[in-house]
Amino acid sequence: MEKVIGHVHSTETMGTVDGPGVRFIVFLQGCLLRCQFCHNPDTWKIGIGNERTAQEVFDEAIKYKEFWDATGGGITVSGGEPLLQIDFLIELFTLCKEAGVHTTIDSCGGCFTRDPEFIQKLDQLMELTDLILLDIKQMNPEKHLKLTSRPNAPILDFAHYLRDKDQPIWVRHVLIPTKTDDPTDLHALHDFIATLPNVKRVEVLPYHTMGVYKWEKLGIRYPLEGIETPDKETVEMANEILKTKSYL
């Protein structure tokens, strides 16, 4: 196996919200999107971060396998956008599968393309991947572009690719007052999800401001200043429209 160097931002040893069970989370460096609500803007820049081999990351993670086995957990790779480092993911998940470790990718698919070389590698990666956490941020194309700086067409096409592969996915939607909580947009998201028989769970993630300090530390103006966490009624409305309970 080649030793592809991954650019790793950080790791978390006992994650409980990024896939089933207790998980070791690997945050990879680099992202094409510039989401106004991003809580990890320090992962945006491509080509920096800690240079590590897949074996090094795996060796760190596997120490926690006894916790995964007890909870049905495993390893989740997040970011940034993990698919920007697809060769590294293939190496890491090959090691995981050899050790019987459950593998999850947290991605929005913003870098997805039908380029044959990318698809060939993605097909290989999907053979090693148990679950995709698919972040769909906004169905309205114009609102998505304003919210993230990138179009949502590649993301929706990625969802179609995963559907055609029958790849298990959890759809996750960050609920932001005035940005992603319009009932019309939520109904559009529900209708889109209804076309994906491979969806195993739908999660509404209430917006929070816990990452604002990172924007301040980087000297970047936070674009959603003044927007608060959605109230209970709005969260309940979103859960009802998206029928999240029907997946539990």
Side-chain angles (χ1 to χ4, degrees), residues 123-147:
D123 286 346
Q124 184 179 354
L125 178 60
M126 290 302 100
E127 292 295 323
L128 304 166
T129 304
D130 294 306
L131 178 67
I132 299 287
L133 307 180
L134 178 62
D135 301 316
I136 301 183
K137 304 169 191 300
Q138 173 58 263
M139 286 297 297
N140 181 289
E142 294 181 1
K143 292 180 181 179
H144 188 279
L145 185 61
K146 184 175 181 179
L147 185 66

Side-chain angles (χ1 to χ4, degrees), residues 90-180:
I90 290 171
E91 284 201 13
L92 177 61
F93 280 10
T94 296
L95 294 170
C96 290
K97 290 293 97 182
E98 290 173 351
V101 175
H102 185 279
T103 53
T104 295
I105 298 173
D106 180 8
S107 170
C108 78
C111 65
F112 180 77
T113 171
R114 293 285 177 171
D115 174 78
E117 182 178 354
F118 181 82
I119 291 295
Q120 181 181 19
K121 290 182 178 181
L122 189 59
D123 286 346
Q124 184 179 354
L125 178 60
M126 290 302 100
E127 292 295 323
L128 304 166
T129 304
D130 294 306
L131 178 67
I132 299 287
L133 307 180
L134 178 62
D135 301 316
I136 301 183
K137 304 169 191 300
Q138 173 58 263
M139 286 297 297
N140 181 289
E142 294 181 1
K143 292 180 181 179
H144 188 279
L145 185 61
K146 184 175 181 179
L147 185 66
T148 72
S149 81
R150 303 282 292 194
N152 64 1
I155 295 168
L156 303 183
D157 195 23
F158 182 48
H160 290 149
Y161 165 87
L162 296 172
R163 175 198 62 197
D164 295 343
K165 297 288 288 185
D166 196 27
Q167 174 70 47
I169 63 177
W170 292 3
V171 172
R172 310 210 292 183
H173 178 70
V174 179
L175 192 69
I176 310 169
T178 75
K179 299 293 182 179
T180 65

Side-chain angles (χ1 to χ4, degrees), residues 30-42:
C31 189
L32 300 181
L33 277 65
R34 295 293 182 266
C35 297
Q36 294 181 350
F37 57 94
C38 181
H39 57 272
N40 288 320
D42 45 344

Side-chain angles (χ1 to χ4, degrees), residues 53-72:
T53 66
Q55 187 70 58
E56 289 171 340
V57 173
F58 176 80
D59 289 345
E60 178 187 355
I62 200 65
K63 299 173 185 177
Y64 302 91
K65 190 174 187 295
E66 63 180 286
F67 297 101
W68 311 336
D69 289 344
T71 65

Side-chain angles (χ1 to χ4, degrees), residues 26-31 76-90 93 104-109 111 118 125 133 135:
V26 183
F27 296 94
L28 295 186
Q29 185 72 36
C31 189
T76 296
V77 181
S78 185
E81 174 49 61
L83 295 182
L84 289 173
Q85 300 190 53
I86 195 167
D87 292 323
F88 178 79
L89 280 177
I90 290 171
F93 280 10
T104 295
I105 298 173
D106 180 8
S107 170
C108 78
C111 65
F118 181 82
L125 178 60
L133 307 180
D135 301 316

